[in-house]
Amino acid sequence: MSTNEAALALGHTFHQALVSGDWDGIRALLHDDATWTLPGDNTISGTADGADAVVERARRIASYGLNFELLHLLVSRENMALSLHNTAHREDAVLDEYLATVCRLRDGKIASIETYLSDVPGMNAFFV
C-alpha cells in the first residue's frame, strides 16, 4: 500500500470511528502524545494533549448530536485532512459549519490534529 493509500485508509477509519462512536477505534489510531487543537472560545476549544484527551474531545463533540458529513479526504506527501460539513440542531441553537481537520501523521498513526472552521462564532454559540 502506498503512503497516500495508507493515509486515505486512516482518514476513512477515523471518520467511521467518529460517526459510529468507536472511541477505542479512534484511540488505536493515535500516538500516545497526540494533540487536537480547535479554535474558538467554548467547551471544545483549545488543545487536547494526549491520546486520551483527544478521544474525550471526540466523545464530547459527538455528544452534541452532530452529523459528520465527509465531503473529501485529502492527502499531502506525509499527512491527510478530512473536509467535513458538520450540522446539528438544538432547541436554542443550530450548527452548520464547514471544516478541515488536518491530521499530521507519524509512523502510520495520527500525531496531531488541527481543525480549521468556517464559522467560529457559530461554533462558540453551539458548544456551550
Side-chain angles (χ1 to χ4, degrees):
M1 181 181 295
S2 75
T3 302
N4 288 351
E5 290 169 331
L8 286 172
L10 183 65
H12 279 293
T13 302
F14 180 84
H15 179 256
Q16 187 55 44
L18 182 61
V19 168
S20 67
D22 180 3
W23 313 123
D24 290 336
I26 289 176
R27 178 62 180 86
L29 302 174
L30 303 170
H31 281 280
D32 290 341
D33 63 347
T35 61
W36 188 355
T37 303
L38 280 160
D41 184 23
N42 58 71
T43 61
I44 63 166
S45 294
T47 300
D49 289 309
D52 292 336
V54 170
V55 171
E56 182 53 36
R57 169 163 291 158
R59 183 189 307 260
R60 175 173 273 188
I61 293 169
S63 77
Y64 283 82
L66 269 66
N67 175 41
F68 304 100
E69 179 188 0
L70 180 63
L71 301 176
H72 302 282
L73 269 172
L74 310 161
V75 294
S76 69
R77 184 171 179 88
E78 299 173 357
N79 304 299
M80 66 86 180
L82 294 90
S83 171
L84 299 167
H85 179 211
N86 289 352
T87 55
H89 302 279
R90 277 198 331 253
E91 204 171 286
D92 61 339
V94 174
L95 181 73
D96 187 354
E97 65 185 4
Y98 292 89
L99 58 126
T101 296
V102 177
C103 299
R104 287 171 183 78
L105 308 180
R106 184 175 76 235
D107 301 325
K109 286 187 163 188
I110 298 170
S112 69
I113 303 169
E114 185 171 6
T115 298
Y116 298 78
L117 293 166
S118 65
D119 184 10
V120 175
M123 177 185 145
N124 287 338
F126 191 81
F127 290 101
V128 293

